[in-house]
Each structure stands twice: as C-alpha cells, then as structure tokens.
Amino acid sequence: MYNIKKMGIFKRRRKKIGLALGGGAARGWAHIGVINAFQEAEIPIDYVAGTSMGALVGAFFVAGQIDNLKKLALHLDWKDIIAFFDIVFPKSGLIDGKKVTELLKKNISQFKIEEVSIPFAAVATDIVTGGEVILDKDDIIDAVRASISIPGIFTPVKINKEILVDGGVVNPVPVNVVKNMGAEVVIAVDVNAHLVIPTMQKVRKAQIPETGRFNLKNLKEKIKDLDLPYLKNWTSKEPLPNIFEIILSSIYIMEKQITKDRLRLDKPQVLIEPEVGNIGFLEFHRAHEAIAEGYKAAMRKIEEIKTFARI
C-alpha cells in the first residue's frame, strides 16, 4: 500500500499572507525591522495594506526599496527632519507636504499601484464624510501622501473629488483591508500598543531635544518673515506643549482606543507589537532603536506565522 503522505501527492498549500502596517509617526520605523525579520526568515508576503507611516513603509517595500528606506532612516538627523516642515500659514494644515512628496518621488519611481508585484493599499479618511477610503489604484505617491496627512499638521490631499487625511482617524491598523484583498493569514503590526504619553510638561524637556524643538530656534527661522500676530505666542519659551505635540498626542490617544476596538472585532491571526512606545511621535532620528525593536518583535512570532500559513 502506498504511503500517500510520504509521497507528497497531497502536499498542503501555503496560505496567502497579508501584512497590515499601522500608523505611528516615528514609531513606524519599526515596520522596517519587521519586514527585515520576514525577509531573513523567508516569510513570503502576498498583500500589504498600510495606514499613515505604515503606508509609507509598505510602499517602499512593495516597490523593492525597503533597503534604501532603511539607509535613509538611519542617517536622518534633526536638521534633515526640520527641513521637511514646509510651513504654510494660514491654510488647512501647518505643513504643505511638498518636501515629503519630493522625498517619495526621489526614492520611489512614480508608478501606479496596479503595477507593483505585491498588491498594495493605503488607507485614508474622507474628511467630509468621515468614511474610510482604500487607495489601491493609480499613483502610489499620491496614495501615500494622502494616508500620512495628519489632520491639522499636513494639508489634506484631493483625490477623485475626495478630501483625504490620515487613515488612522478611522482605521489605524488595517486588518480588514488585507483580508478583503485576499489574505488568509493576516499579520498586524501595531506600533502604538505600548504607547507612552508623557505629561505635557515633560514632553518639551524630555521627548524633544533642544536642537529639535519646533517652536523655538529652528521653527522661528521658518516663520520669522510672516507678519502674523498670533504666531508670537507660538514661538514663546513658556513650558507648554507646542501645537505639533498637542495634535499628535490627541490623535494617537484616540487611535490607540480605535485600534483596540477594531482588533477585538476584526482579529488578525498574528499580532506584532514592537516595544517602541517610548519613542516620541516626532523622534524620527531614533530609527535605529525602532527598527531593532520591530525586528525583535517579529522574530518572536516567526514560528507562529509559519504554523498559521503552513510554511
């Protein structure tokens, strides 16, 4: 009698894997470490959906540019970060985002999402209707730019008559999106799971170095020529949180609760939670720490992923 199992005639099919990358500003560098761990362990990724910073990292990944993004992240310093803040008072956001778009164009060829080898989607929010918008067609750079448009900080993006802002407002970790794309095993990465919100009095002193405080020397240089009376208080030295810190803290406190509720209702097979909660929202210069934590968190889940996906 033949041993069919031994002969491998009915070898089990590998399940399709989807990666849902959540938002989290500077903490999102941890996604690079997660992807590096998967590459090392030869975990194939069949679908990618990202929100905000997760959309940015995901776009670089599906474009085959994750190594270039890692190099860029590891070499960022505060001078580089400040350069991205193209202040546009008074408009629908503090930052126009043109310099971020230029960065994307410089490192990712401008192509349509349909052309990438790994199906990709970026999540944004329609600020008019409050609805979730899945950007899985047309220009990949426009999609990422919309997904990272933190309300009140980045100006919104208009795509197909919709006014779009950060997808984290409605869907911080897009598990449902990769499921709908066809994933049978969903790996969700939540970089805000261990979120630490310091008291606002401490944010200015501990979270942001003197050389990078946005309402002091660096930002003053950007707005000194603007004759706007209300900016005087914005550049004061009082020990109060600045507008960036207030907006970001408020949004991520909100997003943490939304993530908790959505992950309970729409559970991923594998949840990765890098311990990057101590990294400030704007501390993009701490990429080395974030990437290392993402790598460690992902490596702890490798066997679990292989079991679910039949690898």
Side-chain angles (χ1 to χ4, degrees), residues 25-289:
R27 298 181 176 96
W29 290 140
H31 295 313
I32 297 175
V34 170
I35 291 170
N36 285 166
F38 292 161
Q39 291 173 324
E40 184 178 311
E42 298 184 344
I43 301 294
I45 301 299
D46 302 291
Y47 307 95
V48 177
T51 293
S52 198
M53 193 64 175
L56 186 146
V57 176
F60 271 81
F61 173 54
V62 300
Q65 297 295 322
I66 196 67
D67 290 339
N68 287 339
L69 180 61
K70 183 176 181 179
K71 289 178 184 177
L72 173 68
L74 292 174
H75 288 89
L76 276 179
D77 60 23
W78 272 107
K79 291 181 180 179
D80 297 320
I81 297 165
I82 292 295
F84 288 114
F85 284 71
D86 40 352
I87 307 300
V88 289
F89 293 109
K91 288 183 72 174
S92 52
L94 301 178
I95 301 168
D96 190 55
K98 288 183 179 178
K99 292 186 178 180
V100 175
T101 302
E102 289 171 7
L103 172 70
L104 292 169
K105 289 180 178 179
K106 183 178 179 180
N107 291 275
I108 302 178
S109 299
Q110 196 155 12
F111 52 77
K112 292 187 176 181
I113 295 174
E114 302 94 311
E115 297 172 355
V116 297
S117 57
I118 301 175
F120 171 76
V123 179
T125 303
D126 186 329
I127 198 65
V128 177
T129 67
E132 175 180 301
V133 178
I134 310 302
L135 300 169
D136 57 1
K137 295 182 178 65
D138 299 325
D139 191 273
I140 194 167
I141 293 174
D142 287 346
V144 172
R145 173 63 181 83
S147 187
I148 66 172
S149 296
I150 301 170
I153 293 184
F154 281 101
T155 54
V157 175
K158 187 175 182 180
I159 298 178
N160 298 326
K161 298 182 179 181
E162 295 174 313
I163 308 300
L164 305 178
V165 297
D166 195 314
V169 174
V170 293
N171 194 356
V173 184
V175 172
N176 65 309
V177 178
V178 283
K179 280 187 177 179
N180 292 336
M181 291 170 76
E184 298 167 286
V185 174
V186 176
I187 304 169
V189 185
D190 179 12
V191 297
N192 292 322
H194 303 284
L195 186 61
V196 175
I197 302 292
T199 61
M200 279 303 187
Q201 293 287 345
K202 294 180 179 179
V203 169
R204 290 273 302 280
K205 296 179 181 179
Q207 190 181 20
I208 301 179
E210 182 66 33
T211 55
R213 289 182 185 170
F214 294 98
N215 64 338
L216 298 180
K217 183 184 296 184
N218 294 299
L219 195 54
K220 280 182 180 179
E221 291 299 313
K222 287 182 171 289
I223 63 176
K224 65 182 180 181
D225 296 327
L226 294 174
D227 185 22
L228 299 173
Y230 60 81
L231 291 182
K232 293 180 180 179
N233 291 333
W234 214 65
T235 58
S236 71
K237 292 185 178 181
E238 288 195 24
L240 295 173
N242 62 44
I243 191 168
F244 290 98
E245 295 156 359
I246 291 172
I247 293 174
L248 285 167
S249 292
S250 301
I251 288 173
Y252 285 112
I253 290 170
M254 173 193 72
E255 287 188 6
K256 185 174 181 180
Q257 185 59 49
I258 294 173
T259 301
K260 181 180 178 181
D261 292 340
R262 293 201 66 144
L263 290 180
R264 184 173 60 247
L265 295 172
D266 202 359
K267 294 181 180 179
Q269 279 69 36
V270 179
L271 178 60
I272 297 175
E273 300 175 321
E275 295 186 12
V276 290
N278 65 318
I279 295 177
F281 309 119
L282 301 173
E283 294 184 313
F284 289 95
H285 63 293
R286 296 177 64 183
H288 187 275
E289 298 169 60

